[in-house]
Each structure stands twice: as structure tokens, then as C-alpha cells.
Amino acid sequence: MGKLDAYVPLVAFLGKALGEYCEVVLHDVSDPEHSIVAIANGQLSGRHVGGSLTDFTLKLLQKEQEEKIPYVVNYCGKGSTGHTFRSSSYFIRNAEGTVEGVLCLNYDVQAYTSIRGMLDQLFLMGLDVNEAEPKETQAPEPVIRETFHTTAGDAIESMIDKRLSAYPVEAKRLSSEERIQVTHDLHDDGLFLLKGGISALADKLGVSEPTIYRYLNRIRRE
């Protein structure tokens, strides 16, 4: 019997109990590239069994090693369809306290955010009765903490590109210190929990894999 087998029926139960707008996902963290072992209402994000951990979950796992986080609730995610999700994650631990799995609830709130924007606009237009032309308003854009990728390769690419976007020059023209900082940031993001993270970053930066390993050794010594 697998270590998370007992939670698989819970995924199906929660998927039915919470309704078709709530995706329920069970991750096995021992296989980050193919972590999804059970999913209900996966059509909401386009994911399926065998999919990878998300960028945000990887970052949480990296942080959890130091802070022993029990769960994280009500953060914002974005699916491949462009829909916004309200997400929460619970860490499943073994008897020794080591995280073995993550149970995630992702509510598709796209319809609600669209309706909220419409209502805000109508309501505020009603208040602007003295204005020659009513001001158009819309609901503020949520801060995206998590992106739901269908493959580990997509997650790796997205995580690296997000960090490199902060620099005004091409990745291969970064200075040595800038490359180390990028590696440091991606280490904190949990990129290197995924197989292929080191080789992908080396390729982006135009350096060898041993160079990335040297950067990581330096970072871990600090």
C-alpha cells in the first residue's frame, strides 16, 4: 500500500462535496516531476494524474524545511485557461514529521471576479452622478502566487523566465554576480527540487552545469 493511498478516496469525496468549481489535488512530493497521484475536477486547470508540482508548492516545500509550515490558505493561482483560483494547501506528514504529500483545494473564482468588476462599475457609476462622464472602474488584479503547469518542463521554464525578467539584458550577458543571484533566487523558489532544473538554468545562462553546482555550493555555505 502506498504512503498516500489512504488519501486518494478523500480526493474524490471532496471533489463531489465541494462541487464542480473546486479542483482537489493530491501530490506525492517524492516525485516532483510527476507528483499528482489523484485529482478531482482537473478540467478546471487542465491538469491530470502524473502532472508536476506547481512553482508555489515547490517554494513552500523549500521554505517548509526550515519553518515547518502546517498549511497555507487563500492564496491566488492562475490556470492554463487564464482563470483565477483561490487556493489552499495542507502538508501531509509521516510519523517523523517529514512532508510526504500535499493536499490542495483550488476554487475557480473567475466568474465571481468578473461579476464583482461589473457590480463595482455599476455601483460607482451610480455614485458619480455629478460627473459629466462616469468613471469606468474594474476589480483590482489579484496577485498571482501560483501557476498551474501541466508538465515539469513548463514549470521549470516559467520559474527561470520569471526570475530573468527582472534583468534588462539577455540572460547570457549577465555578470557572474547576477548569475549567482539568479541561482540563489531559484534555489529559494525550489527549482532544484525538479530534475532538469540545473541543466535548464545552465542552458539559459550559457554556462556549464558544474558552474551551477559551484554557485549552489557557494549559496549553501553562506
Side-chain angles (χ1 to χ4, degrees), residues 60-99:
L60 285 178
L61 286 172
Q62 190 71 26
K63 186 178 180 182
E64 190 280 335
Q65 294 175 8
E66 298 178 0
E67 301 186 12
K68 302 299 179 186
I69 303 166
Y71 53 78
V72 181
V73 299
N74 298 330
Y75 55 89
C76 188
K78 184 74 76 174
S80 60
T81 59
H83 282 203
T84 301
F85 290 80
R86 178 171 62 83
S87 301
S88 299
S89 295
Y90 177 83
F91 292 101
I92 299 170
R93 301 173 186 275
N94 60 21
E96 289 73 40
T98 303
V99 174

PDB file of all heavy atoms in Angstrom, residues 60-99:
ATOM      1  N   LEU A  60       7.102  26.587  -1.346  1.00  0.00           N
ATOM      2  CA  LEU A  60       6.638  26.273   0.010  1.00  0.00           C
ATOM      3  C   LEU A  60       7.440  25.112   0.596  1.00  0.00           C
ATOM      4  O   LEU A  60       7.806  25.137   1.773  1.00  0.00           O
ATOM      5  CB  LEU A  60       5.155  25.910  -0.007  1.00  0.00           C
ATOM      6  CG  LEU A  60       4.161  27.056  -0.180  1.00  0.00           C
ATOM      7  CD1 LEU A  60       2.743  26.493  -0.222  1.00  0.00           C
ATOM      8  CD2 LEU A  60       4.288  28.069   0.945  1.00  0.00           C
ATOM      9  N   LEU A  61       7.711  24.097  -0.210  1.00  0.00           N
ATOM     10  CA  LEU A  61       8.473  22.945   0.280  1.00  0.00           C
ATOM     11  C   LEU A  61       9.885  23.352   0.660  1.00  0.00           C
ATOM     12  O   LEU A  61      10.431  22.869   1.658  1.00  0.00           O
ATOM     13  CB  LEU A  61       8.503  21.850  -0.789  1.00  0.00           C
ATOM     14  CG  LEU A  61       7.204  21.065  -0.985  1.00  0.00           C
ATOM     15  CD1 LEU A  61       7.323  20.151  -2.191  1.00  0.00           C
ATOM     16  CD2 LEU A  61       6.862  20.269   0.266  1.00  0.00           C
ATOM     17  N   GLN A  62      10.485  24.234  -0.125  1.00  0.00           N
ATOM     18  CA  GLN A  62      11.824  24.719   0.190  1.00  0.00           C
ATOM     19  C   GLN A  62      11.813  25.483   1.512  1.00  0.00           C
ATOM     20  O   GLN A  62      12.700  25.321   2.353  1.00  0.00           O
ATOM     21  CB  GLN A  62      12.312  25.625  -0.942  1.00  0.00           C
ATOM     22  CG  GLN A  62      13.770  26.007  -0.867  1.00  0.00           C
ATOM     23  CD  GLN A  62      14.691  24.832  -1.172  1.00  0.00           C
ATOM     24  OE1 GLN A  62      14.319  23.895  -1.867  1.00  0.00           O
ATOM     25  NE2 GLN A  62      15.894  24.865  -0.629  1.00  0.00           N
ATOM     26  N   LYS A  63      10.776  26.290   1.708  1.00  0.00           N
ATOM     27  CA  LYS A  63      10.644  27.094   2.922  1.00  0.00           C
ATOM     28  C   LYS A  63      10.246  26.227   4.108  1.00  0.00           C
ATOM     29  O   LYS A  63      10.692  26.449   5.241  1.00  0.00           O
ATOM     30  CB  LYS A  63       9.590  28.182   2.687  1.00  0.00           C
ATOM     31  CG  LYS A  63       9.438  29.180   3.809  1.00  0.00           C
ATOM     32  CD  LYS A  63       8.406  30.238   3.428  1.00  0.00           C
ATOM     33  CE  LYS A  63       8.234  31.261   4.548  1.00  0.00           C
ATOM     34  NZ  LYS A  63       7.206  32.279   4.213  1.00  0.00           N
ATOM     35  N   GLU A  64       9.412  25.227   3.847  1.00  0.00           N
ATOM     36  CA  GLU A  64       8.884  24.377   4.909  1.00  0.00           C
ATOM     37  C   GLU A  64       9.982  23.640   5.648  1.00  0.00           C
ATOM     38  O   GLU A  64       9.859  23.368   6.847  1.00  0.00           O
ATOM     39  CB  GLU A  64       7.886  23.386   4.297  1.00  0.00           C
ATOM     40  CG  GLU A  64       7.073  22.580   5.304  1.00  0.00           C
ATOM     41  CD  GLU A  64       7.838  21.405   5.891  1.00  0.00           C
ATOM     42  OE1 GLU A  64       8.782  20.915   5.239  1.00  0.00           O
ATOM     43  OE2 GLU A  64       7.515  21.006   7.019  1.00  0.00           O
ATOM     44  N   GLN A  65      11.079  23.335   4.968  1.00  0.00           N
ATOM     45  CA  GLN A  65      12.170  22.609   5.604  1.00  0.00           C
ATOM     46  C   GLN A  65      12.707  23.353   6.820  1.00  0.00           C
ATOM     47  O   GLN A  65      13.214  22.747   7.760  1.00  0.00           O
ATOM     48  CB  GLN A  65      13.295  22.384   4.578  1.00  0.00           C
ATOM     49  CG  GLN A  65      12.887  21.457   3.439  1.00  0.00           C
ATOM     50  CD  GLN A  65      13.974  21.338   2.379  1.00  0.00           C
ATOM     51  OE1 GLN A  65      15.087  21.814   2.554  1.00  0.00           O
ATOM     52  NE2 GLN A  65      13.657  20.698   1.268  1.00  0.00           N
ATOM     53  N   GLU A  66      12.596  24.668   6.808  1.00  0.00           N
ATOM     54  CA  GLU A  66      13.085  25.466   7.931  1.00  0.00           C
ATOM     55  C   GLU A  66      11.969  25.862   8.893  1.00  0.00           C
ATOM     56  O   GLU A  66      12.175  25.906  10.095  1.00  0.00           O
ATOM     57  CB  GLU A  66      13.756  26.736   7.399  1.00  0.00           C
ATOM     58  CG  GLU A  66      14.966  26.482   6.517  1.00  0.00           C
ATOM     59  CD  GLU A  66      15.568  27.768   5.984  1.00  0.00           C
ATOM     60  OE1 GLU A  66      15.027  28.848   6.309  1.00  0.00           O
ATOM     61  OE2 GLU A  66      16.562  27.701   5.244  1.00  0.00           O
ATOM     62  N   GLU A  67      10.790  26.128   8.367  1.00  0.00           N
ATOM     63  CA  GLU A  67       9.731  26.715   9.193  1.00  0.00           C
ATOM     64  C   GLU A  67       8.641  25.740   9.618  1.00  0.00           C
ATOM     65  O   GLU A  67       7.784  26.085  10.424  1.00  0.00           O
ATOM     66  CB  GLU A  67       9.107  27.896   8.445  1.00  0.00           C
ATOM     67  CG  GLU A  67      10.126  28.983   8.115  1.00  0.00           C
ATOM     68  CD  GLU A  67       9.473  30.211   7.501  1.00  0.00           C
ATOM     69  OE1 GLU A  67       8.225  30.318   7.543  1.00  0.00           O
ATOM     70  OE2 GLU A  67      10.207  31.059   6.976  1.00  0.00           O
ATOM     71  N   LYS A  68       8.639  24.520   9.058  1.00  0.00           N
ATOM     72  CA  LYS A  68       7.645  23.504   9.436  1.00  0.00           C
ATOM     73  C   LYS A  68       6.218  24.046   9.319  1.00  0.00           C
ATOM     74  O   LYS A  68       5.441  24.036  10.275  1.00  0.00           O
ATOM     75  CB  LYS A  68       7.902  22.986  10.848  1.00  0.00           C
ATOM     76  CG  LYS A  68       9.279  22.374  11.043  1.00  0.00           C
ATOM     77  CD  LYS A  68       9.473  21.176  10.127  1.00  0.00           C
ATOM     78  CE  LYS A  68      10.849  20.566  10.287  1.00  0.00           C
ATOM     79  NZ  LYS A  68      11.110  19.483   9.308  1.00  0.00           N
ATOM     80  N   ILE A  69       5.872  24.503   8.131  1.00  0.00           N
ATOM     81  CA  ILE A  69       4.553  25.084   7.882  1.00  0.00           C
ATOM     82  C   ILE A  69       3.508  23.971   7.848  1.00  0.00           C
ATOM     83  O   ILE A  69       3.660  23.005   7.096  1.00  0.00           O
ATOM     84  CB  ILE A  69       4.548  25.826   6.533  1.00  0.00           C
ATOM     85  CG1 ILE A  69       5.640  26.891   6.511  1.00  0.00           C
ATOM     86  CG2 ILE A  69       3.186  26.431   6.246  1.00  0.00           C
ATOM     87  CD1 ILE A  69       5.931  27.435   5.135  1.00  0.00           C
ATOM     88  N   PRO A  70       2.400  24.067   8.614  1.00  0.00           N
ATOM     89  CA  PRO A  70       1.373  23.018   8.570  1.00  0.00           C
ATOM     90  C   PRO A  70       0.469  23.128   7.347  1.00  0.00           C
ATOM     91  O   PRO A  70       0.055  22.119   6.770  1.00  0.00           O
ATOM     92  CB  PRO A  70       0.579  23.227   9.864  1.00  0.00           C
ATOM     93  CG  PRO A  70       0.790  24.670  10.205  1.00  0.00           C
ATOM     94  CD  PRO A  70       2.149  25.048   9.697  1.00  0.00           C
ATOM     95  N   TYR A  71       0.146  24.346   6.952  1.00  0.00           N
ATOM     96  CA  TYR A  71      -0.722  24.575   5.790  1.00  0.00           C
ATOM     97  C   TYR A  71      -0.651  26.042   5.397  1.00  0.00           C
ATOM     98  O   TYR A  71      -0.174  26.892   6.164  1.00  0.00           O
ATOM     99  CB  TYR A  71      -2.175  24.196   6.083  1.00  0.00           C
ATOM    100  CG  TYR A  71      -2.746  24.856   7.321  1.00  0.00           C
ATOM    101  CD1 TYR A  71      -3.177  26.192   7.312  1.00  0.00           C
ATOM    102  CD2 TYR A  71      -2.843  24.152   8.518  1.00  0.00           C
ATOM    103  CE1 TYR A  71      -3.672  26.804   8.442  1.00  0.00           C
ATOM    104  CE2 TYR A  71      -3.344  24.753   9.654  1.00  0.00           C
ATOM    105  CZ  TYR A  71      -3.766  26.079   9.610  1.00  0.00           C
ATOM    106  OH  TYR A  71      -4.254  26.678  10.749  1.00  0.00           O
ATOM    107  N   VAL A  72      -1.113  26.334   4.189  1.00  0.00           N
ATOM    108  CA  VAL A  72      -1.205  27.703   3.686  1.00  0.00           C
ATOM    109  C   VAL A  72      -2.571  27.851   3.039  1.00  0.00           C
ATOM    110  O   VAL A  72      -2.986  26.984   2.260  1.00  0.00           O
ATOM    111  CB  VAL A  72      -0.094  28.014   2.656  1.00  0.00           C
ATOM    112  CG1 VAL A  72      -0.202  29.453   2.170  1.00  0.00           C
ATOM    113  CG2 VAL A  72       1.280  27.763   3.243  1.00  0.00           C
ATOM    114  N   VAL A  73      -3.278  28.936   3.358  1.00  0.00           N
ATOM    115  CA  VAL A  73      -4.638  29.079   2.844  1.00  0.00           C
ATOM    116  C   VAL A  73      -4.826  30.398   2.092  1.00  0.00           C
ATOM    117  O   VAL A  73      -4.132  31.382   2.331  1.00  0.00           O
ATOM    118  CB  VAL A  73      -5.683  28.998   3.986  1.00  0.00           C
ATOM    119  CG1 VAL A  73      -5.610  27.658   4.694  1.00  0.00           C
ATOM    120  CG2 VAL A  73      -5.492  30.128   4.991  1.00  0.00           C
ATOM    121  N   ASN A  74      -5.780  30.357   1.152  1.00  0.00           N
ATOM    122  CA  ASN A  74      -6.297  31.541   0.465  1.00  0.00           C
ATOM    123  C   ASN A  74      -5.228  32.379  -0.241  1.00  0.00           C
ATOM    124  O   ASN A  74      -5.091  33.572  -0.003  1.00  0.00           O
ATOM    125  CB  ASN A  74      -7.086  32.416   1.451  1.00  0.00           C
ATOM    126  CG  ASN A  74      -8.296  31.692   2.013  1.00  0.00           C
ATOM    127  OD1 ASN A  74      -8.870  30.833   1.351  1.00  0.00           O
ATOM    128  ND2 ASN A  74      -8.674  32.034   3.234  1.00  0.00           N
ATOM    129  N   TYR A  75      -4.470  31.717  -1.106  1.00  0.00           N
ATOM    130  CA  TYR A  75      -3.568  32.450  -1.991  1.00  0.00           C
ATOM    131  C   TYR A  75      -4.094  32.318  -3.417  1.00  0.00           C
ATOM    132  O   TYR A  75      -4.982  31.503  -3.702  1.00  0.00           O
ATOM    133  CB  TYR A  75      -2.129  31.938  -1.877  1.00  0.00           C
ATOM    134  CG  TYR A  75      -1.951  30.460  -2.102  1.00  0.00           C
ATOM    135  CD1 TYR A  75      -1.725  29.953  -3.382  1.00  0.00           C
ATOM    136  CD2 TYR A  75      -2.009  29.563  -1.037  1.00  0.00           C
ATOM    137  CE1 TYR A  75      -1.567  28.599  -3.591  1.00  0.00           C
ATOM    138  CE2 TYR A  75      -1.838  28.219  -1.243  1.00  0.00           C
ATOM    139  CZ  TYR A  75      -1.625  27.729  -2.517  1.00  0.00           C
ATOM    140  OH  TYR A  75      -1.477  26.381  -2.729  1.00  0.00           O
ATOM    141  N   CYS A  76      -3.578  33.117  -4.304  1.00  0.00           N
ATOM    142  CA  CYS A  76      -4.136  33.221  -5.650  1.00  0.00           C
ATOM    143  C   CYS A  76      -3.319  32.425  -6.655  1.00  0.00           C
ATOM    144  O   CYS A  76      -2.088  32.490  -6.667  1.00  0.00           O
ATOM    145  CB  CYS A  76      -4.195  34.691  -6.060  1.00  0.00           C
ATOM    146  SG  CYS A  76      -5.070  34.962  -7.606  1.00  0.00           S
ATOM    147  N   GLY A  77      -4.000  31.673  -7.498  1.00  0.00           N
ATOM    148  CA  GLY A  77      -3.352  30.910  -8.549  1.00  0.00           C
ATOM    149  C   GLY A  77      -3.943  31.242  -9.904  1.00  0.00           C
ATOM    150  O   GLY A  77      -5.012  31.846 -10.007  1.00  0.00           O
ATOM    151  N   LYS A  78      -3.240  30.832 -10.957  1.00  0.00           N
ATOM    152  CA  LYS A  78      -3.701  31.060 -12.321  1.00  0.00           C
ATOM    153  C   LYS A  78      -3.540  29.774 -13.115  1.00  0.00           C
ATOM    154  O   LYS A  78      -2.481  29.152 -13.117  1.00  0.00           O
ATOM    155  CB  LYS A  78      -2.889  32.191 -12.971  1.00  0.00           C
ATOM    156  CG  LYS A  78      -3.365  32.571 -14.360  1.00  0.00           C
ATOM    157  CD  LYS A  78      -4.677  33.361 -14.317  1.00  0.00           C
ATOM    158  CE  LYS A  78      -4.477  34.781 -13.883  1.00  0.00           C
ATOM    159  NZ  LYS A  78      -5.691  35.606 -13.955  1.00  0.00           N
ATOM    160  N   GLY A  79      -4.623  29.373 -13.794  1.00  0.00           N
ATOM    161  CA  GLY A  79      -4.586  28.154 -14.588  1.00  0.00           C
ATOM    162  C   GLY A  79      -4.180  28.419 -16.022  1.00  0.00           C
ATOM    163  O   GLY A  79      -4.089  29.574 -16.466  1.00  0.00           O
ATOM    164  N   SER A  80      -3.956  27.337 -16.774  1.00  0.00           N
ATOM    165  CA  SER A  80      -3.574  27.471 -18.182  1.00  0.00           C
ATOM    166  C   SER A  80      -4.688  28.093 -19.006  1.00  0.00           C
ATOM    167  O   SER A  80      -4.447  28.637 -20.085  1.00  0.00           O
ATOM    168  CB  SER A  80      -3.200  26.091 -18.748  1.00  0.00           C
ATOM    169  OG  SER A  80      -4.305  25.200 -18.647  1.00  0.00           O
ATOM    170  N   THR A  81      -5.918  28.038 -18.501  1.00  0.00           N
ATOM    171  CA  THR A  81      -7.052  28.650 -19.184  1.00  0.00           C
ATOM    172  C   THR A  81      -7.131  30.151 -18.929  1.00  0.00           C
ATOM    173  O   THR A  81      -7.965  30.836 -19.523  1.00  0.00           O
ATOM    174  CB  THR A  81      -8.367  28.008 -18.704  1.00  0.00           C
ATOM    175  OG1 THR A  81      -8.487  28.190 -17.282  1.00  0.00           O
ATOM    176  CG2 THR A  81      -8.401  26.519 -19.009  1.00  0.00           C
ATOM    177  N   GLY A  82      -6.283  30.654 -18.023  1.00  0.00           N
ATOM    178  CA  GLY A  82      -6.328  32.065 -17.665  1.00  0.00           C
ATOM    179  C   GLY A  82      -7.249  32.350 -16.497  1.00  0.00           C
ATOM    180  O   GLY A  82      -7.353  33.499 -16.050  1.00  0.00           O
ATOM    181  N   HIS A  83      -7.925  31.331 -15.982  1.00  0.00           N
ATOM    182  CA  HIS A  83      -8.840  31.534 -14.868  1.00  0.00           C
ATOM    183  C   HIS A  83      -8.080  31.757 -13.556  1.00  0.00           C
ATOM    184  O   HIS A  83      -6.980  31.237 -13.357  1.00  0.00           O
ATOM    185  CB  HIS A  83      -9.769  30.326 -14.718  1.00  0.00           C
ATOM    186  CG  HIS A  83     -10.881  30.315 -15.713  1.00  0.00           C
ATOM    187  ND1 HIS A  83     -12.058  29.633 -15.525  1.00  0.00           N
ATOM    188  CD2 HIS A  83     -11.007  30.922 -16.920  1.00  0.00           C
ATOM    189  CE1 HIS A  83     -12.849  29.812 -16.555  1.00  0.00           C
ATOM    190  NE2 HIS A  83     -12.227  30.586 -17.427  1.00  0.00           N
ATOM    191  N   THR A  84      -8.701  32.522 -12.672  1.00  0.00           N
ATOM    192  CA  THR A  84      -8.137  32.800 -11.352  1.00  0.00           C
ATOM    193  C   THR A  84      -8.674  31.788 -10.345  1.00  0.00           C
ATOM    194  O   THR A  84      -9.857  31.451 -10.362  1.00  0.00           O
ATOM    195  CB  THR A  84      -8.501  34.223 -10.908  1.00  0.00           C
ATOM    196  OG1 THR A  84      -7.993  35.155 -11.861  1.00  0.00           O
ATOM    197  CG2 THR A  84      -7.911  34.541  -9.540  1.00  0.00           C
ATOM    198  N   PHE A  85      -7.789  31.333  -9.450  1.00  0.00           N
ATOM    199  CA  PHE A  85      -8.171  30.358  -8.429  1.00  0.00           C
ATOM    200  C   PHE A  85      -7.842  30.888  -7.036  1.00  0.00           C
ATOM    201  O   PHE A  85      -6.848  31.595  -6.849  1.00  0.00           O
ATOM    202  CB  PHE A  85      -7.410  29.041  -8.630  1.00  0.00           C
ATOM    203  CG  PHE A  85      -7.830  28.262  -9.835  1.00  0.00           C
ATOM    204  CD1 PHE A  85      -7.364  28.593 -11.097  1.00  0.00           C
ATOM    205  CD2 PHE A  85      -8.688  27.180  -9.709  1.00  0.00           C
ATOM    206  CE1 PHE A  85      -7.738  27.871 -12.222  1.00  0.00           C
ATOM    207  CE2 PHE A  85      -9.074  26.449 -10.823  1.00  0.00           C
ATOM    208  CZ  PHE A  85      -8.594  26.803 -12.081  1.00  0.00           C
ATOM    209  N   ARG A  86      -8.693  30.544  -6.071  1.00  0.00           N
ATOM    210  CA  ARG A  86      -8.374  30.751  -4.656  1.00  0.00           C
ATOM    211  C   ARG A  86      -7.926  29.409  -4.114  1.00  0.00           C
ATOM    212  O   ARG A  86      -8.700  28.452  -4.085  1.00  0.00           O
ATOM    213  CB  ARG A  86      -9.594  31.265  -3.885  1.00  0.00           C
ATOM    214  CG  ARG A  86      -9.323  31.443  -2.387  1.00  0.00           C
ATOM    215  CD  ARG A  86     -10.475  32.163  -1.695  1.00  0.00           C
ATOM    216  NE  ARG A  86     -11.724  31.440  -1.775  1.00  0.00           N
ATOM    217  CZ  ARG A  86     -12.086  30.449  -0.958  1.00  0.00           C
ATOM    218  NH1 ARG A  86     -11.269  30.049   0.000  1.00  0.00           N
ATOM    219  NH2 ARG A  86     -13.247  29.851  -1.099  1.00  0.00           N
ATOM    220  N   SER A  87      -6.681  29.327  -3.684  1.00  0.00           N
ATOM    221  CA  SER A  87      -6.071  28.039  -3.381  1.00  0.00           C
ATOM    222  C   SER A  87      -5.629  27.914  -1.926  1.00  0.00           C
ATOM    223  O   SER A  87      -5.297  28.911  -1.283  1.00  0.00           O
ATOM    224  CB  SER A  87      -4.858  27.823  -4.290  1.00  0.00           C
ATOM    225  OG  SER A  87      -5.230  27.861  -5.653  1.00  0.00           O
ATOM    226  N   SER A  88      -5.606  26.677  -1.467  1.00  0.00           N
ATOM    227  CA  SER A  88      -5.114  26.351  -0.126  1.00  0.00           C
ATOM    228  C   SER A  88      -4.404  25.007  -0.196  1.00  0.00           C
ATOM    229  O   SER A  88      -4.804  24.124  -0.953  1.00  0.00           O
ATOM    230  CB  SER A  88      -6.259  26.276   0.884  1.00  0.00           C
ATOM    231  OG  SER A  88      -6.943  27.513   0.984  1.00  0.00           O
ATOM    232  N   SER A  89      -3.341  24.848   0.599  1.00  0.00           N
ATOM    233  CA  SER A  89      -2.561  23.609   0.594  1.00  0.00           C
ATOM    234  C   SER A  89      -2.307  23.123   2.013  1.00  0.00           C
ATOM    235  O   SER A  89      -1.960  23.912   2.892  1.00  0.00           O
ATOM    236  CB  SER A  89      -1.206  23.829  -0.102  1.00  0.00           C
ATOM    237  OG  SER A  89      -1.376  24.129  -1.472  1.00  0.00           O
ATOM    238  N   TYR A  90      -2.470  21.822   2.202  1.00  0.00           N
ATOM    239  CA  TYR A  90      -2.238  21.186   3.506  1.00  0.00           C
ATOM    240  C   TYR A  90      -1.110  20.162   3.360  1.00  0.00           C
ATOM    241  O   TYR A  90      -1.138  19.321   2.453  1.00  0.00           O
ATOM    242  CB  TYR A  90      -3.515  20.484   3.980  1.00  0.00           C
ATOM    243  CG  TYR A  90      -3.357  19.742   5.277  1.00  0.00           C
ATOM    244  CD1 TYR A  90      -3.455  20.409   6.494  1.00  0.00           C
ATOM    245  CD2 TYR A  90      -3.112  18.371   5.292  1.00  0.00           C
ATOM    246  CE1 TYR A  90      -3.311  19.727   7.696  1.00  0.00           C
ATOM    247  CE2 TYR A  90      -2.966  17.684   6.483  1.00  0.00           C
ATOM    248  CZ  TYR A  90      -3.063  18.370   7.684  1.00  0.00           C
ATOM    249  OH  TYR A  90      -2.915  17.693   8.870  1.00  0.00           O
ATOM    250  N   PHE A  91      -0.115  20.226   4.242  1.00  0.00           N
ATOM    251  CA  PHE A  91       1.027  19.314   4.185  1.00  0.00           C
ATOM    252  C   PHE A  91       0.725  18.025   4.951  1.00  0.00           C
ATOM    253  O   PHE A  91       0.351  18.062   6.123  1.00  0.00           O
ATOM    254  CB  PHE A  91       2.277  19.987   4.752  1.00  0.00           C
ATOM    255  CG  PHE A  91       2.782  21.112   3.901  1.00  0.00           C
ATOM    256  CD1 PHE A  91       2.525  22.426   4.241  1.00  0.00           C
ATOM    257  CD2 PHE A  91       3.490  20.857   2.735  1.00  0.00           C
ATOM    258  CE1 PHE A  91       2.977  23.471   3.451  1.00  0.00           C
ATOM    259  CE2 PHE A  91       3.945  21.895   1.940  1.00  0.00           C
ATOM    260  CZ  PHE A  91       3.687  23.203   2.294  1.00  0.00           C
ATOM    261  N   ILE A  92       0.908  16.913   4.277  1.00  0.00           N
ATOM    262  CA  ILE A  92       0.702  15.588   4.874  1.00  0.00           C
ATOM    263  C   ILE A  92       2.053  15.053   5.329  1.00  0.00           C
ATOM    264  O   ILE A  92       2.991  14.946   4.528  1.00  0.00           O
ATOM    265  CB  ILE A  92       0.069  14.629   3.850  1.00  0.00           C
ATOM    266  CG1 ILE A  92      -1.300  15.169   3.399  1.00  0.00           C
ATOM    267  CG2 ILE A  92      -0.077  13.230   4.443  1.00  0.00           C
ATOM    268  CD1 ILE A  92      -1.884  14.421   2.212  1.00  0.00           C
ATOM    269  N   ARG A  93       2.166  14.732   6.611  1.00  0.00           N
ATOM    270  CA  ARG A  93       3.447  14.308   7.183  1.00  0.00           C
ATOM    271  C   ARG A  93       3.398  12.859   7.674  1.00  0.00           C
ATOM    272  O   ARG A  93       2.334  12.354   8.040  1.00  0.00           O
ATOM    273  CB  ARG A  93       3.815  15.221   8.366  1.00  0.00           C
ATOM    274  CG  ARG A  93       3.923  16.690   7.990  1.00  0.00           C
ATOM    275  CD  ARG A  93       4.128  17.567   9.226  1.00  0.00           C
ATOM    276  NE  ARG A  93       4.086  18.978   8.873  1.00  0.00           N
ATOM    277  CZ  ARG A  93       5.133  19.667   8.425  1.00  0.00           C
ATOM    278  NH1 ARG A  93       6.301  19.070   8.324  1.00  0.00           N
ATOM    279  NH2 ARG A  93       5.016  20.934   8.109  1.00  0.00           N
ATOM    280  N   ASN A  94       4.565  12.239   7.720  1.00  0.00           N
ATOM    281  CA  ASN A  94       4.660  10.898   8.291  1.00  0.00           C
ATOM    282  C   ASN A  94       4.899  11.009   9.793  1.00  0.00           C
ATOM    283  O   ASN A  94       4.893  12.113  10.360  1.00  0.00           O
ATOM    284  CB  ASN A  94       5.764  10.078   7.602  1.00  0.00           C
ATOM    285  CG  ASN A  94       7.140  10.735   7.741  1.00  0.00           C
ATOM    286  OD1 ASN A  94       7.384  11.552   8.627  1.00  0.00           O
ATOM    287  ND2 ASN A  94       8.055  10.339   6.875  1.00  0.00           N
ATOM    288  N   ALA A  95       5.114   9.885  10.448  1.00  0.00           N
ATOM    289  CA  ALA A  95       5.272   9.873  11.907  1.00  0.00           C
ATOM    290  C   ALA A  95       6.482  10.673  12.365  1.00  0.00           C
ATOM    291  O   ALA A  95       6.523  11.173  13.490  1.00  0.00           O
ATOM    292  CB  ALA A  95       5.374   8.431  12.402  1.00  0.00           C
ATOM    293  N   GLU A  96       7.486  10.809  11.493  1.00  0.00           N
ATOM    294  CA  GLU A  96       8.686  11.569  11.847  1.00  0.00           C
ATOM    295  C   GLU A  96       8.530  13.063  11.566  1.00  0.00           C
ATOM    296  O   GLU A  96       9.438  13.853  11.847  1.00  0.00           O
ATOM    297  CB  GLU A  96       9.898  11.032  11.065  1.00  0.00           C
ATOM    298  CG  GLU A  96      10.380   9.657  11.497  1.00  0.00           C
ATOM    299  CD  GLU A  96       9.436   8.553  11.060  1.00  0.00           C
ATOM    300  OE1 GLU A  96       8.920   8.629   9.912  1.00  0.00           O
ATOM    301  OE2 GLU A  96       9.184   7.632  11.861  1.00  0.00           O
ATOM    302  N   GLY A  97       7.401  13.457  11.000  1.00  0.00           N
ATOM    303  CA  GLY A  97       7.167  14.865  10.714  1.00  0.00           C
ATOM    304  C   GLY A  97       7.632  15.315   9.346  1.00  0.00           C
ATOM    305  O   GLY A  97       7.569  16.505   9.016  1.00  0.00           O
ATOM    306  N   THR A  98       8.111  14.368   8.531  1.00  0.00           N
ATOM    307  CA  THR A  98       8.564  14.707   7.185  1.00  0.00           C
ATOM    308  C   THR A  98       7.381  14.810   6.236  1.00  0.00           C
ATOM    309  O   THR A  98       6.477  13.957   6.264  1.00  0.00           O
ATOM    310  CB  THR A  98       9.539  13.631   6.655  1.00  0.00           C
ATOM    311  OG1 THR A  98      10.641  13.517   7.563  1.00  0.00           O
ATOM    312  CG2 THR A  98      10.038  13.992   5.267  1.00  0.00           C
ATOM    313  N   VAL A  99       7.367  15.840   5.396  1.00  0.00           N
ATOM    314  CA  VAL A  99       6.275  16.015   4.432  1.00  0.00           C
ATOM    315  C   VAL A  99       6.363  14.940   3.360  1.00  0.00           C
ATOM    316  O   VAL A  99       7.387  14.753   2.719  1.00  0.00           O
ATOM    317  CB  VAL A  99       6.332  17.408   3.779  1.00  0.00           C
ATOM    318  CG1 VAL A  99       5.275  17.522   2.684  1.00  0.00           C
ATOM    319  CG2 VAL A  99       6.111  18.496   4.815  1.00  0.00           C
TER     320      VAL A  99
END
